[in-house]
Amino acid sequence: MSEKAMNETRDVNVRRRPGRLRGVGAAAGFMACATMLAFATGRAAMAQTVLLQGGKVIPVVGETIEKGDVLIKNGFIEAVGESVDAPFDATVVDCTDKVIFPGMIDAHTWRGMDQPNESPPVTPFLNVYDAIDPSQLFFEDSLRDGVLSIHIAPGDDTVIGGMSRVVHPIGLTPAEMTTASDVALKLSITPKSGFDRMRQMAMFRETFRKLEEDMKALAEKTYEDKLRDDGKDLDVPPDEAQKRGRELLKPEDVPEKDRNLLLLTQGKLRVFIHCDRAMDVVAGIRLAKEHGFFDQAIFVLGTEAWKAADVLKQAKRPVVLDPRLIHDETDPLTGEEKETFVPKVIDDAGLQFALLRNWGSSMGERYLWYQAARCVREGVSREHALKAITLWPAEMTGLGHRLGSIEIGKDANLLVLTGDPLDMQTWVEKGYVQGIPVYERSEDIRLERLFAEPGADDGPSENAEGEATTEEHHEIHKNEYKEVDPDKRPKRERREGRRGGRRRPRPE
Amino acid sequence: MMKRSCATQGAFGGGAIFAIALACCLVQGWASAALADDAMPVLIRAKKIYLSPGNVVSPGAILIRDGRIDRIGDKIELADEVRVVDLENATVTAGLIDANSNAGYRSGYHDAEHASECIPEMRVLDTIDLESNDFKNLAKDGVTTVFVSPDSASVIGARGAIVRTAGAADKRVIQEASGVKATIGREPIFKASFNRTPSRFNVSFLTRRPTTRMGLVWVFRKSFHDAQLKARGQEPSSRGEGSPGDASIPYLMQILNGEIPFRIQARSQLDILTAIRLSREFNFRFTLEEGTDAYRCIDELKENDIPVIYGPIFDYPMGFRAGTGESDRFRYGAPSDLVKAGVKLALSAGDLSGEAALPMQAGYAMRNGLSREQALAAVTTVPADLLGISDLAGSLESGRSADFVVWSGEPFDATTRAEMVFVNGTLVSDRTVKNGATPADDAEAGSKPSEEASDE
């Protein structure tokens, strides 16, 4: 298959073809792009065998290796251990005093899409593929923050939203970014805007009733067509005809708009069900059981939904937690404030959970590791806190065999960190996606700018090779900078870009 | 989660101590209730005690008697019966100080004081609700003393108050009216209904609040200029609208004479430089508040010896700060650059709480380059010094009232929280008690703790 043809195939799984990422630039960065482009083109082809040597390996599954090696080959983790021999063609990366950790996973977000939802309520035929905007700074931020897999699903303002996919935050097209396509269907029990809960549920019932009706008609027609082809007459009552017809139905016979719904009701499709309130959890579980997709359901909870912990405990299904980890209540009579740390309640209920990043914060909550650190702070075990940002979201998206831990045979989505993943002073030093180096802190121009001396900011480096550091750049241009009035420099595009189209907050 | 063992221990306690310590492990809730009453001295043992930044005792112990730090150090000889709280992995620091807080009053767009643009005669204390949940939340996060800074809606605002965040009501207020706060920037312009003209008839520059930075600085200069004239016994030529009221004059003169602290809130480089220019024109000293762009004016700040109460830190601006357009050019490295350059730096969470509260601000400053000692200084000794309360707060010494925080790990780490907070001798927050457990529940679960304790 030619390079071009592959790029046009939208659902290609790239795991066995690291070369496909060749030529991939930074997800977005108008500044970092140049560096990373050079970075990817220059090294991807060679860097297929990499030995991360002498770091503290935190594999998430199994014991931590205080000083160990990880060998990456053909995009996979080939070997892990206290001492791994470097093959002759391996690039050896010294990780002394560093920590090797699996790439973190964002279990559920609509960020990265230009718009989270289509306006019609029932759109199971849509695919986020068509809305992913690789140029969003969101992806670059994710890379910098160590989130190497992102499950992008339609937003919550929907009844049946559409198909999600897991992407890595590097690539120039959604196809290049895709780790796994058609991961799950998105449902929301919490009403779409303009709906109330009765209408929301009525919409579900109507959708499934209509699906059943259409399928019956289709099955009957299929059976009749077969009889006609065989030159026979209709020999059974409609019920039996429908039953026999169903067995003859091929997936491609089903209209595209119904295909995902049918798979859902057959229990063949993973489904993320958004339940903002505890009351929605109960309705969600009932709906899932009634229509045969309970065993495929992952519940995406709001903060208040922890109150359904008992119900969830019985259901034993994984949950994705609201990024606001603390639920606040004020007693209307006494004015007493009560805080509930949600992950602790969910963890105590014995459920698998995934943590999300809080984009409404301007501080640490925007980092997955920080959310995990908060869990440890409030008494969740470190093991579970780490799994909630790695292995568990991988399993929820059906990628437990590929992502979420450092184990032989898994995708080489790895981070080299400057310290413990839950430490405040830790930064991501290097990132690898399927064995390809995609992030290098020393070459992260934007980060460098955020630490830089005044005067070194704004205006991209003109060196496409990414060789000039900000300091050198500043040195070259220091005379120009002196004359520039700071207020006349081009406006930073940071806010809009990073927020994924979010508007500047209104004054309170 | 931290495990705490609690025991009553006499100087000659003998072999019963261990058994009682075991028994008391089961009854944490009761232990906490007992801690809260001041009758018995309490000894807290921790892995590390930061007496002041750079002065660490490890392991350390701290003995609290009658709400005061009786003794503090690595080893404490017990002379009488005390209750012992042994906290593994815990560290102790002095209570944190936020030198620029908005706790206890509503700072909003429609709550600006409209009487005048220059109101140093007013006191923010008169609008603070000391029982507000703001203070409870601050105390819970380990902040024990705050300077409640007046609202930024006035050009020359009211006088702030230094208060404790919890404790006995009559001991809460440390200084009723401390520094005067002025604001240079967008807020005096666009707070309070965005400064539309007041009515159809008296429309002139003199009758409305400033609508640009030009107007703002004009109000600022006119206030001090007229105050100087007045102090010399001269009548300002444009006496009337736009001139400071008679009540303001003494305070303005006190600022000029350096008799009361003066602080100016400015975020952008433009406004910080304006503040410095004005300070030179009228020869006053001031402390810079917020100072988002302060890293751009390091030379000027150093030259004029201007301390900075920096923050809140953010990854990118949100809320009304974003609306001002003054916080777009933040730098991760700003706090560490200021400290490295020798600028006196205190950190502040301003109006933020939760995961942006003061300990997290310090943690963030550490993430971006400060050492733990520097970060600790920026939330304890430096703000204490700026507020002139170094003899009361900011560091730990025997003889002082108990004002400290027991952290579950190293202070300001992401995995650390304030386990116990003592404010002015009182234990106001104790999270070592397990969730939802009441003393009664625990007493039932275990044996009769009070009887055993009295056996000693």
Side-chain angles (χ1 to χ4, degrees):
Chain A
M1 195 188 276
S2 72
E3 187 82 12
K4 185 166 173 284
M6 280 195 290
N7 281 336
E8 282 167 1
T9 314
R10 58 183 240 184
D11 294 345
V12 174
N13 176 343
V14 298
R15 64 187 294 213
R16 281 170 209 289
R17 301 185 198 88
R20 281 197 69 245
L21 282 179
R22 209 190 301 167
V24 166
F30 44 87
M31 284 195 279
C33 188
T35 326
M36 292 193 178
L37 185 68
F39 189 66
T41 41
R43 294 184 218 166
M46 305 182 286
Q48 291 179 18
T49 306
V50 180
L51 183 68
L52 303 177
Q53 203 171 46
K56 179 177 178 180
V57 184
I58 302 180
V60 175
V61 172
E63 291 297 306
T64 297
I65 306 169
E66 285 305 324
K67 199 165 173 59
D69 304 343
V70 179
L71 179 64
I72 301 169
K73 199 168 182 186
N74 297 326
F76 296 101
I77 297 170
E78 179 88 1
V80 186
E82 289 192 345
S83 177
V84 176
D85 290 336
F88 75 95
D89 59 341
T91 311
V92 178
V93 178
D94 180 24
C95 296
T96 312
D97 298 329
K98 303 278 193 292
V99 169
I100 304 167
F101 191 66
M104 291 179 251
I105 302 174
D106 189 327
H108 183 262
T109 184
W110 60 264
R111 281 175 198 278
M113 298 166 74
D114 66 334
Q115 283 168 305
N117 284 111
E118 183 51 73
S119 49
V122 180
T123 55
F125 42 84
L126 295 182
N127 195 311
V128 294
Y129 176 89
D130 302 306
I132 290 174
D133 175 6
S135 72
Q136 282 191 12
L137 288 184
F138 164 73
F139 292 115
E140 197 193 307
D141 279 351
S142 295
L143 202 55
R144 179 176 302 120
D145 301 340
V147 179
L148 298 186
S149 307
I150 304 164
H151 180 218
I152 300 182
D156 300 335
D157 189 14
T158 188
V159 176
I160 299 178
M163 295 299 286
S164 69
R165 68 178 47 212
V166 174
V167 301
H168 34 253
I170 187 97
L172 288 176
T173 65
E176 283 176 344
M177 295 172 69
T178 298
T179 309
S181 58
D182 295 339
V183 164
L185 192 63
K186 174 70 183 279
L187 262 59
S188 179
I189 304 295
T190 307
K192 179 182 162 62
S193 58
F195 281 34
D196 66 359
R197 282 184 166 75
M198 291 186 290
R199 187 167 171 206
Q200 185 87 0
M201 294 316 284
M203 189 69 82
F204 276 118
R205 280 194 291 271
E206 173 60 18
T207 304
F208 290 122
R209 190 195 59 75
K210 184 84 179 10
L211 175 75
E212 185 58 29
E213 209 169 72
D214 288 356
M215 284 308 114
K216 274 181 184 164
L218 186 65
E220 200 172 334
K221 183 170 171 295
T222 309
Y223 185 64
E224 281 172 13
D225 286 352
K226 184 172 181 293
L227 287 179
R228 194 162 50 245
D229 290 350
D230 295 350
K232 292 180 188 163
D233 288 329
L234 190 60
D235 51 356
V236 290
D239 280 2
E240 184 59 24
Q242 283 162 14
K243 205 173 152 190
R244 292 185 186 179
R246 279 231 166 169
E247 282 155 22
L248 298 171
L249 266 182
K250 289 193 284 281
E252 57 267 28
D253 296 337
V254 181
E256 198 183 333
K257 77 174 180 52
D258 286 340
R259 221 171 277 167
N260 293 334
L261 273 184
L262 187 64
L263 287 172
L264 179 73
T265 52
Q266 290 169 342
K268 291 178 187 164
L269 192 57
R270 199 172 288 276
V271 57
F272 277 62
I273 305 176
H274 173 241
C275 303
D276 193 43
R277 305 269 308 275
M279 66 189 291
D280 299 332
V281 173
V282 179
I285 290 173
R286 194 172 56 224
L287 184 81
K289 282 185 173 164
E290 274 171 16
H291 296 284
F293 51 86
F294 177 72
D295 291 336
Q296 296 279 8
I298 286 101
F299 294 92
V300 183
L301 306 180
T303 32
E304 195 255 10
W306 69 269
K307 292 185 172 175
D310 288 346
V311 183
L312 286 164
K313 188 176 178 177
Q314 268 185 342
K316 286 204 188 82
R317 294 300 307 164
V319 294
V320 178
L321 299 183
D322 191 289
R324 292 160 298 170
L325 301 183
I326 293 173
H327 180 239
D328 284 310
E329 285 171 290
T330 307
D331 189 309
L333 289 178
T334 61
E336 191 188 340
E337 286 187 349
K338 189 189 166 203
E339 283 185 353
T340 308
F341 189 74
V342 178
K344 180 83 177 108
V345 179
I346 297 296
D347 189 46
D348 288 346
L351 298 171
Q352 261 194 15
F353 61 96
L355 298 166
L356 298 180
R357 297 176 277 176
N358 186 357
W359 295 96
S361 163
S362 68
M363 296 269 290
E365 288 167 274
R366 297 193 315 115
Y367 304 126
L368 265 184
W369 60 265
Y370 185 89
Q371 299 284 59
R374 287 175 72 192
C375 291
V376 173
R377 189 200 296 169
E378 301 296 335
V380 175
S381 72
R382 185 182 149 92
E383 185 203 340
H384 285 187
L386 290 181
K387 279 186 177 170
I389 56 173
T390 53
L391 188 63
W392 286 344
E395 287 174 356
M396 285 176 204
T397 47
L399 298 172
H401 59 296
R402 288 180 56 189
L403 303 173
S405 63
I406 304 182
E407 288 175 279
I408 293 168
K410 283 200 171 183
D411 285 17
N413 280 20
L414 296 169
L415 298 171
V416 178
L417 307 172
T418 59
D420 189 83
L422 303 187
D423 193 333
M424 200 74 183
Q425 282 141 299
T426 296
W427 292 86
V428 175
E429 191 80 23
K430 294 174 199 295
Y432 294 86
V433 167
Q434 291 164 356
I436 298 167
V438 291
Y439 180 77
E440 181 76 47
R441 186 172 164 227
S442 61
E443 293 174 21
D444 186 344
I445 293 173
R446 193 188 305 276
L447 188 66
E448 213 171 288
R449 279 173 198 288
L450 284 166
F451 279 106
E453 299 290 315
D457 66 341
D458 305 330
S461 161
E462 81 293 348
N463 189 333
E465 296 304 309
E467 281 165 4
T469 63
T470 309
E471 281 85 30
E472 289 161 351
H473 180 69
H474 182 41
E475 188 58 33
I476 298 163
H477 296 278
K478 63 184 174 190
N479 293 328
E480 294 166 34
Y481 276 127
K482 270 183 189 160
E483 288 159 21
V484 177
D485 180 341
D487 287 325
K488 286 183 186 151
R489 290 193 193 132
K491 265 252 176 224
R492 187 181 275 283
E493 285 174 44
R494 188 177 175 77
R495 183 180 301 116
E496 278 70 30
R498 290 184 71 154
R499 309 291 292 164
R502 188 188 157 113
R503 298 284 173 268
R504 173 183 289 198
R506 253 193 243 161
E508 289 128 19
Chain B
M1 190 89 77
M2 163 164 301
K3 286 193 193 91
R4 193 177 91 191
S5 69
C6 211
T8 304
Q9 189 172 325
F12 311 100
I17 296 168
F18 184 58
I20 289 169
L22 272 183
C24 292
C25 285
L26 302 170
V27 290
Q28 290 169 344
W30 158 77
S32 158
L35 272 181
D37 90 65
D38 293 339
M40 194 180 285
V42 181
L43 181 77
I44 294 176
R45 290 201 181 115
K47 190 176 161 194
K48 228 181 206 184
I49 294 181
Y50 291 86
L51 299 174
S52 63
N55 187 3
V56 183
V57 187
S58 174
I62 180 166
L63 178 68
I64 302 129
R65 189 194 302 275
D66 302 327
R68 302 210 152 261
I69 300 174
D70 194 52
R71 266 170 294 168
I72 185 163
D74 50 354
K75 258 190 185 155
I76 292 179
E77 295 294 320
L78 297 177
D80 54 359
E81 194 173 280
V82 299
R83 200 173 304 290
V84 178
V85 182
D86 216 332
L87 295 154
E88 49 178 298
N89 296 325
T91 60
V92 177
T93 69
L96 308 191
I97 302 170
D98 195 328
N100 180 22
S101 170
N102 295 67
Y105 74 92
R106 202 175 145 221
S107 163
Y109 287 83
H110 303 288
D111 295 308
E113 178 54 56
H114 288 269
S116 159
E117 272 307 301
C118 174
I119 51 168
E121 69 275 21
M122 297 189 188
R123 307 185 315 169
V124 80
L125 187 65
D126 301 323
T127 192
I128 301 175
D129 175 9
L130 285 175
E131 295 305 313
S132 151
N133 277 330
D134 292 356
F135 290 109
K136 294 192 176 87
N137 290 333
L138 280 166
K140 204 175 62 193
D141 287 328
V143 182
T144 59
T145 310
V146 291
F147 174 86
V148 183
S149 196
D151 197 32
S152 52
S154 310
V155 177
I156 296 173
R159 284 170 297 154
I162 304 175
V163 298
R164 291 200 167 94
T165 52
D170 55 334
K171 293 177 192 158
R172 293 277 297 273
V173 180
I174 296 174
Q175 267 186 44
E176 291 184 352
S178 176
V180 173
K181 172 184 180 154
T183 306
I184 295 178
R186 286 278 290 150
E187 272 144 280
I189 297 166
F190 85 132
K191 272 191 173 178
S193 311
F194 302 91
N195 296 354
R196 291 186 198 94
T197 45
S199 77
R200 282 183 298 159
F201 302 108
N202 57 348
V203 179
S204 80
F205 175 68
L206 297 177
T207 57
R208 60 182 187 184
R209 295 159 59 85
T211 50
T212 65
R213 283 184 164 83
M214 295 184 291
L216 183 143
V217 173
W218 192 89
V219 170
F220 193 104
R221 293 181 63 235
K222 182 166 174 58
S223 300
F224 282 110
H225 178 260
D226 287 3
Q228 281 174 326
L229 284 182
K230 183 83 180 164
R232 286 203 295 268
Q234 292 167 300
E235 211 41 40
S237 54
S238 60
R239 191 85 182 112
E241 301 286 352
S243 209
D246 284 346
S248 307
I249 305 290
Y251 299 104
L252 292 172
M253 289 313 294
Q254 281 177 22
I255 293 169
L256 294 181
N257 297 334
E259 289 160 15
I260 51 173
F262 189 44
R263 41 172 73 208
I264 299 179
Q265 175 189 305
R267 297 194 188 97
S268 65
Q269 184 185 26
L270 162 75
D271 296 328
I272 297 171
L273 293 179
T274 301
I276 293 173
R277 185 159 47 80
L278 289 167
S279 80
R280 282 189 173 155
E281 180 180 347
F282 290 99
N283 197 23
F284 58 75
R285 296 186 55 76
F286 73 97
T287 304
L288 180 65
E289 273 186 8
E290 296 231 2
T292 310
D293 274 1
Y295 69 94
R296 289 171 169 267
C297 322
I298 287 179
D299 291 344
E300 290 85 353
L301 290 169
K302 268 193 74 177
E303 199 178 306
N304 295 284
D305 194 18
I306 295 164
V308 182
I309 301 170
Y310 185 87
I313 300 172
F314 38 73
D315 250 5
Y316 47 92
M318 308 193 83
F320 74 86
R321 280 187 188 83
T324 61
E326 292 169 353
S327 41
D328 289 357
R329 296 188 302 193
F330 62 92
R331 276 288 183 286
Y332 285 171
S336 62
D337 284 354
L338 288 166
V339 169
K340 274 180 203 138
V343 176
K344 206 173 188 184
L345 177 101
L347 290 170
S348 158
D351 54 340
L352 304 182
S353 58
E355 293 306 310
L358 196 57
M360 287 73 179
Q361 296 284 337
Y364 236 60
M366 276 170 61
R367 179 169 173 76
N368 298 332
L370 286 193
S371 70
R372 202 183 303 277
E373 267 68 30
Q374 287 168 332
L376 181 61
V379 292
T380 53
T381 44
V382 176
D385 188 31
L386 291 178
L387 297 176
I389 53 168
S390 292
D391 51 338
L392 286 175
S395 54
L396 296 173
E397 263 175 48
S398 51
R400 286 192 179 176
S401 70
D403 213 71
F404 62 88
V405 188
V406 183
W407 305 94
S408 59
E410 282 293 338
F412 320 137
D413 273 356
T415 48
T416 296
R417 67 179 186 186
E419 288 288 326
M420 300 168 89
V421 182
F422 283 81
V423 180
N424 204 18
T426 319
L427 175 65
V428 297
S429 165
D430 187 358
R431 296 165 102 167
T432 56
V433 184
K434 61 181 182 243
N435 261 349
T438 62
D441 291 344
D442 279 332
E444 276 171 25
S447 54
K448 294 274 181 192
S450 51
E451 283 171 24
E452 281 199 32
S454 59
D455 284 346
E456 254 315 285

